[in-house]
């Protein structure tokens, strides 16, 4: 079974940076490296949006257009974690961020992102001016 947990979100000023972490939930033993992992977000009053994802193998990454050049996604195989590095944050990046095992690059290409059972409770990012 796969269950993920997200962390690292907080309030930050516009232009600031954050690193979000996606890890296996407590009690779940699996390697994130065996799965494509993606981050998606849910902003107030908006539909879920795929943000970034990383493939297995060579770790090719994909990002939605609004975060290209600002966000990167990476794996730490030793720690069994996946990170979303967020730079130059903007107010419209404010959202709850979730990670999931999802097809990549599908996550950032699809117009509709549903809820994924393996995601955790999310981590809230608030960007203030």
């Amino acid at each position: 079974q796969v269950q993920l947990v997200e962390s690292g979100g907080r309030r930050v000023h516009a232009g600031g940076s954050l690193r979000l972490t996606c890890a296996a939930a407590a009690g779940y033993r699996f390697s994130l490296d065996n799965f494509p992992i993606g981050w998606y977000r849910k902003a107030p009053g908006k539909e879920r949006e795929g943000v970034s994802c990383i493939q297995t193998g060579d770790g090719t990454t994909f990002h939605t257009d609004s975060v290209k050049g600002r966000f990167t996604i990476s794996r730490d195989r030793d720690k069994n974690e996946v990170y979303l590095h967020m730079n130059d944050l903007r107010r419209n990046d404010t959202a709850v961020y979730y990670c999931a095992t999802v097809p990549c690059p599908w996550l950032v290409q699809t117009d509709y992102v549903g809820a994924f059972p393996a995601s955790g409770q999310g981590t809230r990012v608030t960007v203030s001016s």
Side-chain angles (χ1 to χ4, degrees), residues 11-128:
R11 179 180 294 270
V12 64
H13 288 295
S17 299
L18 281 177
R19 187 185 78 170
L20 306 184
T21 299
C22 176
Y28 289 81
R29 298 175 64 87
F30 63 93
S31 174
L32 272 69
D33 203 38
N34 292 335
F35 300 90
I37 301 291
W39 286 92
Y40 63 100
R41 63 189 178 186
K42 177 69 170 70
K46 295 184 179 180
E47 298 293 327
R48 295 182 192 87
E49 175 189 29
V51 177
S52 301
C53 62
I54 185 167
Q55 295 181 332
T56 57
D58 64 2
T60 302
T61 62
F62 297 85
H63 306 276
T64 193
D65 286 346
S66 65
V67 307
K68 285 180 180 176
R70 301 188 298 121
F71 291 12
T72 59
I73 183 171
S74 65
R75 296 182 185 269
D76 186 325
R77 292 180 171 84
D78 291 337
K79 293 184 177 180
N80 200 28
E81 295 176 340
V82 171
Y83 307 114
L84 183 66
H85 308 267
M86 311 163 69
N87 298 311
D88 190 22
L89 282 160
R90 303 168 181 171
R91 291 193 66 184
N92 60 7
D93 293 318
T94 294
V96 179
Y97 285 72
Y98 303 85
C99 63
T101 57
V102 292
C104 176
W106 170 86
L107 179 67
V108 300
Q109 296 173 340
T110 184
D111 290 332
Y112 175 73
V113 178
F116 295 95
S119 296
Q121 295 299 308
T123 187
R124 183 176 300 276
V125 174
T126 303
V127 184
S128 58

